[in-house]
Amino acid sequence: MMGLSFIKAIVARVLFGVHSFLCIWFVTKVDCYNEYYWILAGGLILLLFEGLVILVKRKGEEFRWICPSVFIYLCCTVPSLWLLQLQQYNIAQGICNATLFTSGDELDDTSLGEFG
């Protein structure tokens, strides 16, 4: 049974880490490659440390009433999603120039389709 708890602990933290990394990467890509958003990835170091504590000290057993990995995951992901929402709001309000990733094409009303 100890092997199954190890696998579950590793899989959960890998999924949290990959999704958080992708959210942070997407924010930096959308906002003109602003490197300051990589500061949000500092939580991934905490996630790694927490995973090591669970695997080494607690032998794969999670805490009973608290789940630090979910808290760290939310601390990395929610600000990223909030920044993406702000970017969409600014595009909708016409506050910022919208470019589509690397194509350099301006985003206009015709490219939004039925949503514009």
Side-chain angles (χ1 to χ4, degrees), residues 108-116:
D108 56 2
D109 292 336
T110 58
S111 64
L112 290 175
E114 64 185 70
F115 301 109

Side-chain angles (χ1 to χ4, degrees), residues 4 6 11 14 70 73-74 90-92 94:
L4 184 60
F6 262 71
V11 168
V14 166
V70 174
Y73 164 72
L74 290 174
N90 289 339
I91 290 170

Side-chain angles (χ1 to χ4, degrees), residues 6-114:
F6 262 71
I7 292 172
K8 285 199 259 184
I10 291 171
V11 168
R13 277 142 188 95
V14 166
L15 289 176
F16 287 159
V18 167
H19 186 255
S20 295
F21 178 80
L22 288 175
C23 287
I24 295 166
W25 171 77
F26 196 70
V27 168
T28 59
K29 186 137 174 115
V30 166
D31 199 9
C32 301
Y33 296 96
N34 191 344
E35 300 298 321
Y36 289 115
Y37 294 133
W38 283 111
I39 294 171
L40 293 171
L44 296 176
I45 296 169
L46 289 174
L47 188 64
L48 178 67
F49 178 72
E50 188 268 344
L52 289 174
V53 168
I54 292 294
L55 291 175
V56 174
K57 280 208 149 252
R58 297 188 48 91
K59 298 185 180 25
E61 293 297 320
E62 299 284 345
F63 292 109
R64 190 165 261 195
W65 293 103
I66 187 168
C67 193
S69 60
V70 174
F71 177 73
I72 296 167
Y73 164 72
L74 290 174
C75 287
C76 291
T77 306
V78 170
S80 301
L81 297 176
W82 179 64
L83 289 167
L84 288 172
Q85 284 295 106
L86 282 176
Q87 180 72 12
Q88 280 193 330
Y89 175 76
N90 289 339
I91 290 170
Q93 295 298 317
I95 295 172
C96 68
N97 233 356
T99 56
L100 297 173
F101 300 116
T102 58
S103 68
D105 299 332
E106 290 284 330
L107 182 66
D108 56 2
D109 292 336
T110 58
S111 64
L112 290 175
E114 64 185 70

